Amino acid sequence: MNSNHNGRPSILKVEDLVTRFKTPEGIVYAVNGVSFELKEGETLGVVGESGCGKSVTVLSVLQLIPRPPGQIVGGKALFHDADLLKMNPDEIRHVRGAQIGMIFQDPMTSLNPVINIGNQVAEPLILHLGLSKKEAEKRVIDLLSLVGIPEPKKRLGQFPHQFSGGMRQRVMIAMALACNPQILIADEPTTALDVTIQAQIVELVKKLRIELGMAVIWITHDLGIIAGLAQRVIVMYAGYIVEEAGVKELYANPNHPYTLGLLHSLPRMDASGPQRLTDIPGLPPMLLRQPVACPFSVRCPYVFDRCKENPPLMEVGEGHRSACWWDVMKGGPRHA
């Protein structure tokens, strides 16, 4: 198993992942050679606008993209040195739910409306851990209590529509944690919730990560959520990772113009006077062609001749990489 500069071993190592979709309009180049590592017990934030490839990346890793139209064209996803992308349906099913848990964006579409909550949370326990119905029920009560659902025993027989949005999301977290997974993947789990409930869910996941010692991948379009949650961040754009850094470093020294744009569109708590929030002009590319130029160049204020060539991720500091030919911090071209 691999170690890195933090001294923690890697639990998941994704190398050169490529995923495409065949559509009536043509081939969509959704994920274009993405590589990243997740360390034991750390939280990795994956950030970017809708359509940048962040969800498709993790769904590909777990073989959850619909095939067809989706196809994983290349790459590896090593979980404890076993390649998830090479596993047969039975093997990957055992990893999903048992060793890697997942919380999706909308609990209403992920929960079955006609099965009570007790049975839904118990299902992975009976399936993966072989618990009896009675043992599973006891564990479900513990799990619901762990995620902060009051009077859990009374709620076992209730159905999803009897829970609020925030409580449904807590049920989803309980299901994802049922088998003590080593990795929890959260795909925009707070998007549909109001800000107060959002903050509660973020705090809950932070607390559970520390208590249970699991690693977390948190996918979001909101850099604000990541600040207090993740140790490291990868920023995605047009199916590429365009910047990767420790969370403090990313906020202090953002190096890619896209990251700068995302940060400038956030209100700052430490601002002394009125602030002007700016948005990033234009829209992300459609990805019906594999970009030859830097994919952000059409929206970028720093664009110059070299941007006709798509830059690789380059070291710009310790543990900090950026895919940009322009040195944003020094105001001039960066020579690769």
Side-chain angles (χ1 to χ4, degrees), residues 10-186:
S10 294
I11 188 167
L12 177 68
K13 190 169 187 185
V14 175
E15 295 173 3
D16 220 13
L17 179 70
V18 177
T19 303
R20 295 184 183 150
F21 288 86
K22 284 194 172 119
T23 71
E25 289 79 43
I27 289 175
V28 173
Y29 293 84
V31 176
N32 300 307
V34 161
S35 301
F36 65 88
E37 278 185 64
L38 178 69
K39 306 284 171 262
E40 283 183 3
E42 84 166 339
T43 300
L44 176 69
V46 183
V47 186
E49 290 165 288
S50 296
C52 70
K54 40 189 205 306
S55 294
V56 176
T57 296
V58 293
L59 292 173
S60 299
V61 164
L62 290 178
Q63 294 196 35
L64 279 173
I65 57 160
R67 293 190 279 191
Q71 191 190 359
I72 298 164
V73 179
K76 290 179 183 169
L78 301 173
F79 174 60
H80 291 309
D81 299 333
D83 190 350
L84 297 171
L85 304 183
K86 288 203 166 73
M87 288 183 178
N88 67 35
D90 280 345
E91 290 168 333
I92 192 76
R93 208 173 293 126
H94 181 67
V95 170
R96 291 197 301 249
Q99 293 160 288
I100 301 178
M102 184 137 186
I103 321 167
F104 293 98
Q105 197 163 357
D106 180 5
M108 222 29 201
T109 55
S110 308
L111 292 168
N112 189 323
V114 297
I115 298 177
N116 69 41
I117 291 298
N119 285 340
Q120 290 196 59
V121 182
E123 190 187 5
L125 296 166
I126 295 164
L127 187 71
H128 295 299
L129 302 185
L131 299 192
S132 70
K133 221 164 159 26
K134 203 165 176 51
E135 290 166 333
E137 184 176 300
K138 189 175 171 305
R139 171 90 173 122
V140 171
I141 293 168
D142 290 346
L143 282 162
L144 294 181
S145 164
L146 181 74
V147 298
I149 290 176
E151 301 187 83
K153 197 167 186 177
K154 281 187 181 166
R155 313 221 55 170
L156 292 181
Q158 294 184 344
F159 293 85
H161 70 269
Q162 294 172 279
F163 287 70
S164 67
M167 283 296 162
R168 282 197 293 266
Q169 202 52 291
R170 287 170 188 265
V171 170
M172 286 295 300
I173 295 170
M175 283 173 77
L177 297 177
C179 300
N180 291 326
Q182 295 161 45
I183 300 173
L184 177 67
I185 295 175

Side-chain angles (χ1 to χ4, degrees), residues 173-235:
I173 295 170
M175 283 173 77
L177 297 177
C179 300
N180 291 326
Q182 295 161 45
I183 300 173
L184 177 67
I185 295 175
D187 187 3
E188 305 239 14
T190 58
T191 303
L193 306 173
D194 71 49
V195 180
T196 325
I197 309 289
Q198 247 182 33
Q200 288 173 9
I201 298 290
V202 169
E203 282 309 308
L204 173 64
V205 171
K206 271 166 73 171
K207 177 171 138 300
L208 293 172
R209 179 186 73 81
I210 293 161
E211 280 175 20
L212 307 174
M214 62 188 174
V216 177
I217 297 176
W218 189 287
I219 300 163
T220 181
H221 60 274
D222 183 352
L223 263 172
I225 283 180
I226 288 297
L229 183 69
Q231 284 85 51
R232 266 183 331 116
V233 187
I234 55 182
V235 179

